[in-house]
Amino acid sequence: MIEEGSKSGKATVEKRQLFMEMRAQNFDVIRLSTYRTACKLRFVQKRCNLHLVDVWNMIEAFRDNGLSTLDHNAEINVSRLETILSSIFYQLNKRLPTTHQINVEQSIGLLLNFMVATYDSEGHGKLTVFSMKSMLATMCGGKIVDKLRYIFSQISDSGGTMVFAKFDQFLREVLKLPTAVFEGPSFGYTEHSVRTCFPQQKKILLNTFLDVMMADPPPQCLVWLPLMHRLANVENVFHPVECSYCRSESMMGFRYRCQQCHGYQLCQNCFWRGHASGPHSNQHQMKEHSSWKSPAKKLSHAISKSLGCVPIGEPPHPVFPEAAERPQDLAHPTQLKPVSNNMNDTILMSSGAPTSTKSSTLESPSRLDEEHRLIARYAARLAAEASNSTQCPPTDLSFNFDANKQQRQLIAELENKNREILQEIQRLRLEHEQASQPTPEKAQQNPTLLAELRLLRHRKDELEKRMSALQESRRELMVQLEGLMRLLKDEEQKAAQTGGSPHSSPSHSASCTMPMPIRSTSAGSTPTHTPQDCLAGVGDDVLDAFSQGVPRNLRNDLLVAADSITNTMSSLVKELHSVDDGLEDEEVNMRNGRDKVSAPRHYGNRHSTPSF
């Protein structure tokens, strides 16, 4: 008894787990019931991993489990339903890469409890075959056109005509899905549901059925079905646009643009919750965008559309033959071929055109849809032309030939015009390049700037010559200072030996001869002239140091004289640099600015002041 109670309690918890997780997502804050229903069913689809199973995998599983031969009203118990779901998910894990394996037991438990809660609310423990097929075909992944083709095969007779009673039964079963996610008041089944889809009781074939189901807008009772597929396609779409309400700098998913307020755009979360700011109102008409196109791409698309390069008014689905098709769940297994292992794309698809499925692993779903539409359109056109050629009289044939000839002439005229436009673009580009290149004539248009430039160059040459002369003088003075330092050193040594002052005796002062760059006397030579003559050409500081009777620190005086020379040289270098910078600025303005003056540049050597 205790074990049975624990099992029943665990089953109750598992049964409520999916609904508890769905309530935690807070989908009820979405203002529009259509988006609210689509979001809830999309959550159930992804939580049960049904988005990874294609409708063709479902058909294969139905056939492998013997459901293809059973009547739609036959009942199956829950244990057999669990076996069918197990085969679906275990086969899915075999197709998926090892890095993307799913939890099979959890997926089976969640989906089984959801199906039982949806189609066996009274607790009989049984489901009909048609209920199970309708639910799995609607909630699985894949393209909506493939799903609708399979559903039509289940509700049509052997002649390929839809049976209204079976379609009514399908609506009863499929509209239980919104009711299961607590959206029954908006999308529950009513007796008028069939008439809202097909107001006129007439013969409904496959293409008519697809036209009605995939129209814009679709039937009101099934409006959530195409929206659920659009949600799956835009989950990872990025829009580099700022939301006008929440100020988010980027959007993921849908993007909504107001048709009355210029530049007002909302992300899907703000639009679904009814947010508005400024002059915008929730009553304004909004346009839904499922992709982002740059302004350049929009312009190219508009030009291509105006030139007739983009087809206008394409059908929402390929045009299929009106002849009756075999039920697709009875198809041979070889008609199912693997296409892609992408988690967001379909896993398998029908190989109605075997030659085109070989390269489908390298093509995107949008590219495949475009190719399918083009092939179907061309096939229908060829079939119409073939029927017309067998039935029309010769006059009609000549009329067709004339029409084709006119079309070819129009194409030739457009091609010639296109070539002329390209040649004109090339000519304008060459003229622009020639106009942007500098010419010698342009350099002579402003003589004032040229005269200023020549003066600056002349001033620079003079300063460089003066700089060279001062450098030579400085070198000579440095040699003389070094000689004086040696003399002072010798005098100090002699004073230390004799014990007297070097300035106290006239003989010592008279022996101070000035070393010259060409001829220098030694310390022990005989003086032939006075001290004033020996110090000729030396700075005032040095003269004062030798002429005063009171001894002073001659080393400091020499250093002061050296600093004075260094400061003079620094000021001269700064002046030379300022003139050089002004010359460079003038040359840059002449080159980049108004008159494109191109003159040779000459720079003198910049001498750095040595430190000691």
Side-chain angles (χ1 to χ4, degrees), residues 197-232:
C197 297
F198 300 98
Q200 301 177 357
Q201 299 290 333
K202 59 181 181 178
K203 184 179 181 181
I204 306 298
L205 301 178
L206 174 60
N207 291 319
T208 306
F209 179 78
L210 294 177
D211 290 339
V212 173
M213 293 293 110
M214 300 180 67
D216 187 17
Q220 182 60 32
C221 59
L222 296 174
V223 68
W224 51 269
L225 181 58
L227 179 58
M228 186 174 68
H229 287 79
R230 296 205 307 273
L231 282 174

Side-chain angles (χ1 to χ4, degrees), residues 230-269:
R230 296 205 307 273
L231 282 174
N233 294 331
V234 302
E235 284 181 347
N236 298 319
V237 174
F238 175 78
H239 304 271
V241 182
E242 181 183 13
C243 178
S244 300
Y245 182 82
C246 66
R247 299 302 176 184
S248 176
E249 296 182 355
S250 60
M251 303 182 189
M252 294 293 292
F254 286 119
R255 174 171 56 92
Y256 297 90
R257 176 186 290 273
C258 182
Q259 301 299 295
Q260 299 183 23
C261 304
H262 177 70
Y264 194 89
Q265 301 188 80
L266 293 176
C267 61
Q268 65 177 19
N269 291 331

Side-chain angles (χ1 to χ4, degrees), residues 577-589:
H577 286 180
S578 62
V579 173
D580 196 6
D581 293 338
L583 181 61
E584 290 179 357
D585 293 339
E586 287 294 329
E587 288 183 349
V588 170
N589 292 333

